[in-house]
Amino acid sequence: MKLLFVSRLTASLTLLFTLTGQAAPVYVQAGPGSFNHAALDLLESRHNDAYHRLYSGTPENTYAAAVKETAWAFSALANSTINGQLVPAIVNAMRNYKVTELSAAVRMPIEMCVFGADRLSPIKHVASHPAALKQIGQWLNTHQRQTISVPKGTNEAARMLAQGQFEQGTVAVGSCALKSVYPELTLREVGVQDNADNHTLFALMKMEKRPEQISEDQARTALAQVVEQANTQIKTRTDSAKMLFSHINQRLAQMQSVALFKAHKHRPIEDLSREAVVLSNALEQARQQCLDTASVEAFFQAQMDAAKAIQYRYRAQWLAEGVPDKGADLVQLRNTLNQLGTAILEVLTHHLARHGNLTPELGPVFYGELVTANLTKSDKRKLYHALQNVRRIENCQAAN
């Protein structure tokens, strides 16, 4: 019988927080500083939540502890670099355990970082989990470095390095989150993984012990169903974000026409009185929709700064090429900009309420959607940084 999964983004966790007054206990695969650690950080930042983390090592141990304590389990499910994508250790654990509830899913880029006892010592040996070592083969071959396999995990390799258990010239490789666990280590290199498109899918789940062990093929089928459910949840969230990003791009795309009108009328690019009106309207809408006004103001200011930068670049271009002989209607432009500004806040409000805060893993989607000419990578980074900081106000009644 096909498993039925219930997708609840935050309702169950919120209820548990309310009832206990404490962070929900979550049994986490691997250890502190692992990629699981970093992925759960990402999940926390979506909803401003905090989890009581109980690192549990193997997937089997993680699921067993979660079942015993009737708690959440957080583990990897699939990786883009694995043949068939399903993580073998998870497949094995699924032979004895099944998912009864999928609360949230995270697909996170896997970035391998190199840590040393210092910054300058020549690197002779590289210590890490065997799976991690397989993902940095090009870097290892390029530098002709010997490896030290640490089956207990990347966290264990970093711990041993921090405690001086390796000979001088040894580095540890793992998640950049290891820096928060072992601040005494020095981050020496970032992004040494072979595959730039290396992503792992993680999920927050409720588990149940199977009455009897199932076959490996059955476990693969069961895990594939969980992965499908997690991917559907992620796609829904991504599609919502894309709609928001598209509106932002459409608004910035009007700046060529705005710059054209100002050039024909010999008006300056910067119009502080108009900016004040735009900000005032945005803040009033933010208050009505229970958005934090300070964060909305910073985001709209970032939009206006990017808009001015686009106009200045067109103006510079036209100094050399001449102003195009094309008209622009300022009244119509302002109406369009006002409508898009309203739409941006409406879609943003809906996204925050349903999918949580904008977080770093959606950054590449944002950069891909913003295709307006004369918008630089730096402009995009500043815009997304401001957008990530926009927050909803809890216990606020939105105006109808």
Side-chain angles (χ1 to χ4, degrees), residues 114-115 119-126 139 143-146 168-171 188-189:
V114 181
F115 293 91
R119 187 174 298 278
L120 300 176
S121 295
I123 300 174
K124 299 177 182 178
H125 298 92
V126 180
W139 182 78
H143 299 282
Q144 294 293 302
R145 287 156 183 170
Q146 297 182 350
Q168 189 175 4
T170 301
V171 295
R188 295 191 54 157
E189 291 190 56

Side-chain angles (χ1 to χ4, degrees), residues 338-360:
N338 289 339
Q339 291 169 9
L340 286 169
T342 298
I344 287 169
L345 284 180
E346 287 177 349
V347 176
L348 177 56
T349 299
H350 179 267
H351 182 92
L352 296 180
R354 186 175 180 186
H355 302 291
N357 304 323
L358 278 301
T359 42

Side-chain angles (χ1 to χ4, degrees), residues 163-178:
Q163 295 183 359
Q165 296 182 29
F166 293 124
E167 66 178 86
Q168 189 175 4
T170 301
V171 295
V173 173
S175 165
C176 293
L178 286 166

Side-chain angles (χ1 to χ4, degrees), residues 64-79:
V67 169
K68 180 180 179 180
E69 302 299 330
T70 318
W72 296 98
F74 187 80
S75 78
L77 299 178
N79 178 268

